[in-house]
Amino acid sequence: MTNTAHKVLVANRGEIAVRIVQACRKLGLDFVCVYTAEDAGSGHVRLAKELGGPKSLYRVASYHDANELLSVADDAEATAIHPGYGFFAEDYRFARRVSQRDRKLIFIGPSWRVIRELGDKINTKRLARSLDVPTVPGSDRPIYDEMEAEKVARTLFEFQVDNGIKNPLVLVKASAGGGGMGIEEVHDPDLFRSVYRRVRNYAARQFKDEGVLIEQRIRDFNHLEVQIVAERGGANIVHFGTRNCSIQSTGLQKRVEIAPGFDPSSIAYDFDADQLLADITRHSLALARRVKYDNVGTWEWIVTRDGKPYLMEVNTRIQVENGVSAAISRIKGKSGVDIIAEQIRLGLGAPLGYTQDDITFEGMGIEYRIIAEDPDNRFTPWVGLIDSFSWPEQPWLSMHTHVPTDEPYDIPTEFDPNLALGIVWGKDISEVRERGISFLDALVLEGHDKSGSPLKSNIDFLRKKTNRILLF
């Protein structure tokens, strides 16, 4: 059982803050929330007041201020901190500080050493290769020597040609970069040196580190994930299946997620999809066991059209799409799996209490990310007032949102305009598609901006993509 003496500081906002509070209540735990002035109208603020009273809510200047968050934790006498996703969720320095300060807190997430070990993409690649886990071909350490870099690049070009790739590409990446910064493509080996020098100089200016990575550019792929759950100490590690996150915006931000990752029972693939799913799950578990992974995490994979998997990275946190994996999962035959509640329970030191044999999967799930944006204009965020937001309740539908449904909501410009997650379950791909369209058709989402123009959302984009789920 979870120790009910704990109080959890919810160090996040919006939909994930709402779900963490709900999970705490489910586990019989006290909680305390934070909010900024811009978020005063958010549903997580209202929920905190309703369930915990005024003492469960603190106003802060920023969700990014570690000192302020820890001051709240001390004042509220919190014993644990849940970072959600984003902000401090994958910051090993924050996790270390939380667990080593004079007034220690439990970080609800992997231990800081695990976050540090897997947060370094180069180290993750090196670890994976030591276990024969396939990774994107290329260097597994920063390269500082131009001759060595060119040798790696020419080897990659030859590898692609030998594998029948007509237009081979190599990526040159600043090893200390992130968020897509410091990356260029090379399509001609003879142009490599000039690109290498440009990226190296950029890396030195921007990141004070001239290290460069050389990788093969993978095209025409599906983005798959494996959901891992583990108890403290890493002795017991299980998975909650796979999911497919290939439907994305032009900025490569996920918009629709489906569990499981492929459906060979109704779609013909150019490879053994069942074996592929089993392989990436086995590889993910092998790496998790190697590092003694000790909370929830996601292993992200690229799968090519001919069924070749490559481990891309590990996300050492809860992810937005955890709910679609939970929708198809059963523990000892029971539905209603809550991966966020499991994360908290295990993070506080409870034993797993079940094995992989106790976990089964049923049906198919779709998660829709409902966002105020304009897909026809490169998914530009929309800013304005939501006047009306509602949907019919269904036994096969779960909605997670911080947007009030009984009063107008002014979308804060300081954050991404994510409004809700709609998770639909069906017994098979045909039923889940039908239910997904039904949900989107019945959804009411109306609003206006300062000029009086109507709200823009991605509902039509989600509707169009529903019939393409799990296809290459």
Side-chain angles (χ1 to χ4, degrees), residues 24 30 48 81 115 121 134 166 171 173 175 208 212 216 241 265 276 280 295 356 363 395 397-398 423 433 440 458:
C24 285
D30 288 335
I81 183 165
I115 298 174
K121 291 180 175 59
K166 294 181 179 179
L171 288 182
K173 305 165 66 172
S175 63
K208 305 297 186 282
V212 170
Q216 178 180 331
S265 66
L276 181 282
I280 65 171
N295 201 244
Q356 192 66 59
L397 171 67
S398 298
I423 302 174
R433 280 177 182 153
L440 295 171
N458 65 342

Side-chain angles (χ1 to χ4, degrees), residues 156-172:
L156 288 174
F157 276 115
E158 291 171 5
F159 173 82
Q160 293 178 69
V161 171
D162 291 344
N163 281 271
I165 297 175
K166 294 181 179 179
N167 299 302
L169 279 175
V170 166
L171 288 182
V172 183

Side-chain angles (χ1 to χ4, degrees), residues 41 49 98 148 160 223 274 320 363 399:
K49 290 177 181 176
V98 161
E148 182 184 0
Q160 293 178 69
H223 179 156
D274 283 323
V320 179
M399 277 288 279

